[in-house]
Amino acid sequence: SGSGALVSASYARTRAALAAVASGSGHMKIGCLGDSTQMGAYSLGSGTATADNRKVSHTPFFAAALNSVEHPAISASFVGDSLSNAIATYDPRCTITSGWISSSVLGAGGKMIQNSTTTTSFQFLPNEPVDTFDIYYAKNTGLATFSVGRAGDTGSGTISAVAAAGVGKYTFVGALCNVPLAINRIAGGGVFIIAIDAYNSAQKSIRCHNIGWSGSRVSDWIDASTAFGPLPSLKALGCDHYIITTGINEWGLLTDLATYKTQLTTLIDALLTVGDVSLCTGYPSQKSGTTLAVQKTYIDAIYAVAGSRNLVINDVWLKIGSWEQGNAFGYYSYSLHPGKALLQLKAESDAAMILSL
């Protein structure tokens, strides 16, 4: 193990989705799942909650890498409060008004955005012109009705989240423009927004979702204690391919290896019911925190699980060698967190991996 070689797998759904985008007959969705290194924490060494950290994170580089080889791709979605209570700072495409908070209720990508008290709006302004928004939200008895609309569009949608527990999806279609989507609670209990996927319906593209969640581990991602929790909502996103980057927080907290392998297998098996899955090893972290020998045991665990499910692996850990080696090349910005150059390197190698399938 630890060779970094790609293993053979079918990946029929990935190839079919790529072909659909190339022919202009359909879209593709790729979910990039990971921890704080995925969401871009400290990517410029300036703290976790600056706006530039979202821009200088894995997924915009991933979309750019796909675009550079003539595979049209966008990174215009929002998936949860990945930082916990700092979404409007980390991602200023989001505007939080009175009554809207980062919820203690968790979904894909961390905390949901919640309003249980006011009728003011939560707004999301994509980073490029779009005409379609897929809004994912929690459903349950005792929740609210809410509206979805945009300034300049005629009409709006009204959604009731009062239903059996689960994940709801509402698609709002308006004019092609760069105007914020506004979600307003109307009445009842709470509104819980999990994700917003924004795109131009006429331009078939690869829609790249940044599902980074600071401090999270695989044990968080497989939480299905509610029908709208992290694992059910990850599945509800319906990605054609999920890239799972894992390891750093497991070896940092010395998660039991057998438990880790079981949990990672559970996650993979659940997502394989929706789309294809590939794995990426975590970035090397400082030896003073976790020795390379210990880190290697978790890398071996990732390979063992990948082998059991015949999955491809992008072994970033092997490519860098160690935090100390990578840091000498300017790859790290803070502690175990990768900087811009390393995030771009990983994103480009992820893109190459996807296109090789």
Side-chain angles (χ1 to χ4, degrees):
S1 68
S3 67
L6 298 181
V7 296
S8 173
S10 108
Y11 289 98
R13 178 160 178 170
T14 299
R15 292 199 301 274
L18 286 169
V21 173
S23 67
S25 61
H27 292 269
M28 180 182 190
K29 292 193 287 186
I30 299 180
C32 303
L33 176 59
D35 48 40
S36 59
T37 61
Q38 168 62 41
M39 47 119 354
Y42 296 104
S43 57
L44 295 174
S46 56
T48 60
T50 64
D52 283 340
N53 282 134
R54 182 202 65 80
K55 296 174 184 175
V56 187
S57 62
H58 165 273
T59 310
F61 287 132
F62 179 59
L66 292 167
N67 276 308
S68 71
V69 288
E70 300 184 356
H71 290 269
I74 63 171
S75 176
S77 61
F78 154 78
V79 186
D81 182 356
S82 57
L83 262 179
S84 181
N85 306 315
I87 186 62
T89 306
Y90 166 74
D91 188 351
R93 299 175 305 170
C94 300
T95 299
I96 304 293
T97 59
S98 174
W100 288 94
I101 62 171
S102 294
S103 178
S104 60
V105 181
L106 301 174
K111 294 186 173 186
M112 299 185 196
I113 305 301
Q114 172 188 351
N115 189 337
S116 300
T117 57
T118 72
T119 56
T120 58
S121 64
F122 166 65
Q123 296 187 9
F124 178 69
L125 176 63
N127 37 292
E128 56 188 270
V130 301
D131 65 358
T132 306
F133 297 84
D134 292 336
I135 299 102
Y136 296 85
Y137 60 94
K139 301 187 297 183
N140 207 355
T141 57
L143 295 187
T145 56
F146 61 98
S147 65
V148 176
R150 285 198 308 186
D153 283 328
T154 58
S156 63
T158 299
I159 304 102
S160 175
V162 181
V167 177
K169 176 184 174 183
Y170 179 82
T171 299
F172 177 83
V173 180
L176 180 63
C177 60
N178 202 16
V179 174
L181 178 79
I183 299 175
N184 292 73
R185 175 179 169 272
I186 297 173
V191 179
F192 296 84
I193 303 300
I194 298 168
I196 301 173
D197 180 10
Y199 54 98
N200 177 357
S201 60
Q203 174 61 59
K204 308 309 180 188
S205 63
I206 303 169
R207 306 196 319 252
C208 307
H209 299 332
N210 189 343
I211 319 177
W213 178 358
S214 183
S216 66
R217 295 183 282 169
V218 173
S219 58
D220 297 301
W221 307 337
I222 61 171
D223 180 1
S225 57
T226 66
F228 41 75
L231 186 57
S233 56
L234 280 170
K235 293 172 64 177
L237 290 176
C239 296
D240 300 289
H241 193 112
Y242 294 85
I243 302 174
I244 303 170
T245 301
T246 177
I248 286 180
N249 288 333
E250 278 77 14
W251 68 57
L253 295 172
L254 297 178
T255 300
D256 177 75
L257 282 167
T259 300
Y260 176 45
K261 288 193 284 188
T262 298
Q263 292 172 341
L264 185 55
T265 302
T266 296
L267 175 65
I268 290 166
D269 287 349
L271 296 182
L272 283 173
T273 66
V274 179
D276 292 334
V277 175
S278 59
L279 295 177
C280 184
T281 59
Y283 303 88
S285 51
Q286 290 167 300
K287 298 174 188 176
S288 59
T290 306
T291 67
L292 278 178
V294 170
Q295 293 177 43
K296 178 65 162 54
T297 63
Y298 289 86
I299 300 299
D300 290 344
I302 294 169
Y303 269 86
V305 173
S308 73
R309 294 299 183 268
N310 206 26
L311 304 181
V312 298
I313 302 176
N314 181 9
D315 194 342
V316 174
W317 189 87
L318 180 70
K319 291 172 182 173
I320 305 306
S322 71
W323 183 93
E324 289 72 19
Q325 288 175 322
N327 194 48
F329 286 99
Y331 280 160
Y332 287 86
S333 59
Y334 171 82
S335 183
L336 53 77
H337 291 90
K340 177 180 178 180
L342 184 49
L343 286 163
Q344 187 168 7
L345 183 152
K346 178 187 182 298
E348 291 171 351
S349 60
D350 281 342
M353 174 182 68
I354 292 295
L355 298 178
S356 73
L357 298 175

